Amino acid sequence: SIPWMELTKSLKLKEKRKGRSSQFSPQGKLALMFLKAYSGLSDRKLYEHLNGSIQYQLFCGIFLGPDKLVDFKIISRIRTELSRNLNIKVTQDTLAKAWKPYMENPNIVLEDATCYESYMRYPTNVKLLWESVDWMYGQMKLTCRYLKIPTPRTKYLEQKEKYFSYMRKRKKPWKQTTKRTRSLLYLLNKLIEAQDKIEDQHRIHIRFPEKYYNKRRVIRKVLSQQQEMFTSGSYSVPDRIVSISKSYIRPIVRGKEVKKVEFGAKVNMIQVDGINFIEHLSFDAFNEGPRLIESVRYSRTLFGKITHISADDIYATNANRKWCTGQNVTTNFKRKGRAGKHEDHRQIIAAELRKERATRMEGSFGTEKQHYSLDKIKARTEKNEILWIFFGVHMANAVRIAKRLAQEKPIKKVA
């Protein structure tokens, strides 16, 4: 069910001609990522299973024998390598061509949006400020130790005790939260100024890596955002940073009863005969309603003519309705204006489309999150998170296609 050769070409994977040969072939690297999504194991657990299971080794195209993989970080290195070359639209085009013969109704499209949450602590202003203060103080101590100069005096240890006593409280009063925020804002600003002064005085003797300067830029932005929120009394600001280690994550308001706000990638998904494809993925919050026209056009590039589309009420804008009418695309939207000549037939079709989207598509989201490692994305960079989501979604698709292939074989034998 997986077109290995075509996928390796779309991801630009080749055997190395120079240097030490890789333990995994291009196909083996892809198989390892599919295997991780299928098993739901952590990198270390997957590494242990690879060393002990002949089935896992054969699926990845390797045979270790008495030897073993030495470093479990090889899995994260392969993930990073693949994430650099991933182009979602190109790779999905390859998969759609391979899976189209096993689809019964490629002219019917279901559409909905979902959020794949990132693995992180629930962000609050006090937590975010303390993480920034703790990182800045640690960098200042390391810098002073390297330069063999005394560390500037700060109120870090005093604020540390107050922060942990505040966090131990089950209920955190508003006055104490305001007090902690004000103190941490002052301390963070003081630490940034002290570190800048040390760097200016010893610019000749010390040089920092690029990661350090990127983190400093993030922390400066956190300070300016938190100061603006504290002085204005607002709950949020544009492009609000909620994690200094994952600065690309943004709060996405979903309006659900269980989770009003989610933190992760928002995906506009299209489904054709039970097979999901990523139409648009972004870590910034976006309105999925205007994306219906783009979704139909993208579906046409994958499967040809589209005659029916089923989507949520948020997609039922006047622009989308007018465009679908002009393109002769039947929707499940509630009718506006007078009933037409074939209103009874239209209502039956709309009800079936609505039922299919509410059950089949919504159910597929739950299946992917529960069984294919998409409940909490534990990757540490933006590109790796995108790759994680891509393989989780299409591992679920490959399993569905494999089940259809398994049903076809007995029929051929009987015939």
Side-chain angles (χ1 to χ4, degrees):
S1 64
I2 300 173
W4 297 108
M5 296 302 295
E6 292 82 357
L7 277 181
T8 54
K9 288 178 182 178
S10 65
L11 286 164
K12 301 176 183 178
L13 295 175
K14 295 180 181 178
E15 291 280 2
K16 288 184 179 179
R17 293 184 179 181
K18 295 182 180 180
R20 184 183 174 186
S21 60
S22 176
Q23 286 182 296
F24 290 87
S25 64
Q27 180 177 329
K29 292 175 182 178
L30 286 174
L32 188 63
M33 292 298 103
F34 277 115
L35 192 61
K36 178 168 176 59
Y38 183 76
S39 62
L41 300 171
S42 64
D43 286 357
R44 189 177 286 276
K45 287 286 184 184
L46 182 59
Y47 157 80
E48 292 174 1
H49 278 68
L50 274 171
N51 283 329
S53 173
I54 187 67
Q55 288 87 358
Y56 276 35
Q57 292 174 24
L58 293 176
F59 184 73
C60 295
I62 59 172
F63 178 66
L64 299 174
D67 301 326
K68 289 187 177 182
L69 293 173
V70 179
D71 187 10
F72 81 95
K73 289 188 177 180
I74 189 172
I75 299 169
S76 64
R77 286 198 293 270
I78 289 172
R79 187 188 304 119
T80 305
E81 178 190 350
L82 294 178
S83 66
R84 294 194 200 103
N85 301 328
L86 177 65
N87 185 325
I88 292 177
K89 294 291 175 75
V90 174
T91 313
Q92 286 189 155
D93 187 38
T94 303
L95 293 170
K97 286 177 182 176
W99 292 339
K100 190 176 179 180
Y102 310 107
M103 296 182 182
E104 293 180 359
N105 301 304
N107 61 314
I108 301 173
V109 175
L110 313 180
E111 184 175 8
D112 201 358
T114 187
C115 183
Y116 294 105
E117 290 189 90
S118 184
Y119 184 78
M120 56 181 287
R121 87 284 181 270
Y122 188 84
T124 63
N125 296 338
V126 176
K127 286 180 188 176
L128 186 62
L129 285 170
W130 173 251
E131 286 174 6
S132 304
V133 164
D134 190 48
W135 188 86
M136 282 301 307
Y137 183 75
Q139 294 300 312
M140 191 173 70
K141 282 191 71 175
L142 288 171
T143 307
C144 293
R145 189 183 304 167
Y146 177 79
L147 296 170
K148 297 180 180 178
I149 59 174
T151 306
R153 292 181 63 186
T154 61
K155 299 285 185 179
Y156 173 79
L157 295 176
E158 180 184 333
Q159 290 298 326
K160 185 178 180 179
E161 289 183 9
K162 290 180 179 179
Y163 170 76
F164 282 113
S165 65
Y166 166 81
M167 290 304 295
R168 279 194 292 268
K169 292 180 180 179
R170 189 170 182 180
K171 292 184 178 180
K172 299 171 178 62
W174 175 80
K175 286 186 178 180
Q176 291 188 14
T177 303
T178 307
K179 193 175 180 181
R180 287 294 97 238
T181 306
R182 184 186 293 111
S183 300
L184 290 173
L185 281 170
Y186 177 79
L187 179 58
L188 180 58
N189 188 40
K190 189 176 179 181
L191 287 170
I192 290 173
E193 290 176 354
Q195 183 68 5
D196 287 342
K197 189 176 180 181
I198 292 169
E199 289 179 19
D200 290 338
Q201 290 175 351
H202 303 87
R203 193 174 295 277
I204 303 170
H205 306 290
I206 193 166
R207 193 175 289 176
F208 295 95
E210 187 63 28
K211 284 183 179 180
Y212 170 82
Y213 292 109
N214 291 335
K215 205 71 164 286
R216 284 290 304 270
R217 282 192 287 269
V218 170
I219 287 176
R220 284 181 186 277
K221 192 172 181 181
V222 166
L223 178 62
S224 64
Q225 287 181 348
Q226 293 295 325
Q227 283 176 339
E228 183 183 346
M229 290 167 62
F230 185 76
T231 53
S232 65
S234 60
Y235 289 101
S236 187
V237 289
D239 294 328
R240 181 183 172 187
I241 294 173
V242 293
S243 172
I244 59 171
S245 59
K246 294 183 177 183
S247 58
Y248 53 90
I249 298 291
R250 298 288 179 268
I252 296 174
V253 179
R254 299 283 287 160
K256 294 183 177 180
E257 293 180 1
V258 182
K259 295 178 183 177
K260 292 184 178 180
V261 182
E262 293 177 319
F263 303 92
K266 188 175 181 180
V267 178
N268 189 48
M269 197 82 73
I270 57 173
Q271 186 182 94
V272 179
D273 197 30
I275 306 301
N276 291 336
F277 293 91
I278 298 168
E279 188 274 324
H280 182 67
L281 186 151
S282 176
F283 287 95
D284 294 320
F286 64 89
N287 180 16
E288 62 268 27
R291 298 210 62 86
L292 183 135
I293 298 172
E294 291 295 325
S295 300
V296 175
R297 286 173 177 164
Y298 180 55
S299 303
R300 284 173 177 170
T301 61
L302 295 178
F303 302 104
K305 187 177 180 181
I306 302 299
T307 58
H308 296 74
I309 185 165
S310 176
D312 204 356
D313 291 338
I314 196 171
Y315 295 89
T317 61
N318 288 336
N320 290 341
R321 289 170 183 267
K322 187 177 179 180
W323 188 86
C324 290
T325 303
Q327 297 290 321
N328 293 323
V329 177
T330 305
T331 67
N332 67 323
F333 302 150
K334 292 178 182 177
R335 178 182 52 78
K336 281 187 172 183
R338 293 180 181 179
K341 186 177 180 182
H342 305 288
E343 179 61 20
D344 294 339
H345 296 287
R346 192 201 67 82
Q347 286 185 357
I348 292 169
I349 293 170
E352 286 297 321
L353 288 172
R354 201 173 292 115
K355 181 182 176 182
E356 189 77 2
R357 189 204 64 81
T359 55
R360 198 172 191 181
M361 192 168 193
E362 298 273 356
S364 69
F365 292 157
T367 302
E368 290 166 3
K369 291 177 181 180
Q370 289 180 14
H371 303 289
Y372 295 100
S373 306
L374 293 179
D375 184 25
K376 295 282 186 179
I377 312 300
K378 295 185 179 180
R380 296 186 178 183
T381 63
E382 184 177 357
K383 288 185 178 179
N384 284 4
E385 282 206 38
I386 293 170
L387 184 88
W388 192 303
I389 293 167
F390 177 84
F391 275 99
V393 169
H394 291 294
M395 183 68 248
N397 290 338
V399 170
R400 295 181 189 113
I401 295 294
K403 289 178 180 177
R404 294 177 191 182
L405 286 167
Q407 290 175 354
E408 281 186 1
K409 286 180 181 178
I411 296 170
K412 288 181 180 179
K413 287 180 181 178
V414 171

